[in-house]
Amino acid sequence: MERIRSSEITPEHVYLSRRRFMRLGALALGSMALAGCGGQLGDVISQRAAGDSSRPQAAAEDNASATPDVKRDELGNPANSLETISTYNNYYEFTEDKEGVAQLAANFKAEPWKVTVSGLVSNPRTYDIDDLRRKFDQEERIYRLRCVEGWSMVIPWLGFPLAKLLKEVQPKAEAKYVRFESLLDPAQYPNQGPFSLYPWPYTEGLRLDEAMHDLTLMVTGLYGKPLPNSNGAPLRLAVPWKYGFKSIKAIVKIELVAEQPKTLWNTLAPHEYGFYSNVNPQRPHPRWSQATERRIGESGRRPTLMFNGYEKQVADLYAGMDLQANY
Ligand code: MTE
C-alpha cells in the first residue's frame, strides 16, 4: 500500500501541532516512544478518516460475518473473524507494524509458561498455564475492544474472571492495586533489543476493585481455541471498558501492591495515557478526538460509547471521580 503523506490528509492545525510534538519528541524519551503509539496511530486514524481502506481483505471477511449464526456481543454487534483478530494487532515487543505482528510471532514459545502471583497476598502462587486452564472454568465472553487509536473490534474471548485467581491468593488488607508484567525476552521479541527505547517489560495496572470486577477477564483463548501468539498467548488481560493498551499480553507476573504502579505507556507519556484510561468519548486524546471509532471490517465511523458500552456495569467504580480528568 502506498503511504499517504500525513500532510496531505490531516487538517493543517493538527498536522502542525504534530510537527511541533515531533520536535519536542527529540527532546523527551517519552515522546520518542510515541512515534510508535502516537505518531503512527495518528496517521492511521487520519488515513482511515480520509477513506483509505487499508484492510480490504478484513472488511470483505467481516462483512461475510453478518450472517445469522455469527457470534454477537450483547448489543448485537457481530464478532470480527479470527483471521482479522489475529492479524491486525498491537504488540510492540514484536513490531509497531500491526500487520507484521502475526508473522513475527509465528514461532513464539508460549509453552511451557509460568505466571507468579505475589506481593501483598497471604497465599503467593506460581501457576503453570495448564493449571490455570484446568483450575478455572473457561467461559466465553464476547467483548468490544476499543483501542486508544480510534479503532475497535468485537472479540469472542475465552477465559476466566481475574477475581477467581485473586481470591485464591488472598490479597492482604494493604493491597490496593494489581500490577501486571509481560514477558521480557529479547531473544524472542525483536523490538526488545539493546537499542529499544521502550522501558520493557510492558507493564500495566488496575485498582484492586477494578481487578476484582466480574468483567475483568484473564484470557487464555479466543473463538474457543488457545490464544493466538499475536493476541498475547498464552495469557493476557481483557478489560473491556478501558482503552486496549490496558489489556496487557503475555503476562508472567501479577503482583498485589499498596501504591499505584508505574505502567509502560503512562511512564512514557503521562499526559496522553492516564493510569485509568477508561473509554470516554467526551474526553479527547491530546492529539485526536475520541468521539468516534472505526470498527475494523466496517466502513465509516461509529460513535464511541461511554465506558465502551459497559457504563451500567462499571460507572459505580468511579463515583466521585472527575471523568474528564487525566488521572
Ligand atoms: N501488551 C503487550 N505486552 N504489548 C503490547 O504492545 N499492546 C496493547 C495491548 N496489550 C500491547 C499489549 C494495545 S495498544 C492494544 S490496542 C491491545 O493489546 C491490542 O490487542 P490485540 O492485538 O489482541 O487486538
Side-chain angles (χ1 to χ4, degrees), residues 308-321:
N308 200 23
Y310 301 94
E311 183 169 11
K312 266 204 206 106
Q313 295 97 312
V314 302
D316 281 1
L317 292 172
Y318 309 102
M321 279 174 78

Side-chain angles (χ1 to χ4, degrees), residues 37 85 88-93 95 145-149 151 153 155 157 182-183 189 200 202-203 222 230-232 236 243-250 265:
C37 193
I85 295 167
Y88 187 80
N89 302 101
N90 273 337
Y91 202 162
Y92 286 87
E93 287 91 332
T95 172
L145 180 139
R146 167 58 157 87
C147 180
V148 72
E149 301 163 349
W151 55 266
M153 289 200 207
I155 306 183
W157 300 117
S182 296
L183 181 68
Y189 287 135
W200 305 118
Y202 197 103
T203 47
L222 60 87
S230 52
N231 296 98
R236 68 166 299 159
Y243 290 117
F245 66 89
K246 298 291 294 180
S247 293
I248 181 173
K249 299 177 170 181
W265 286 112

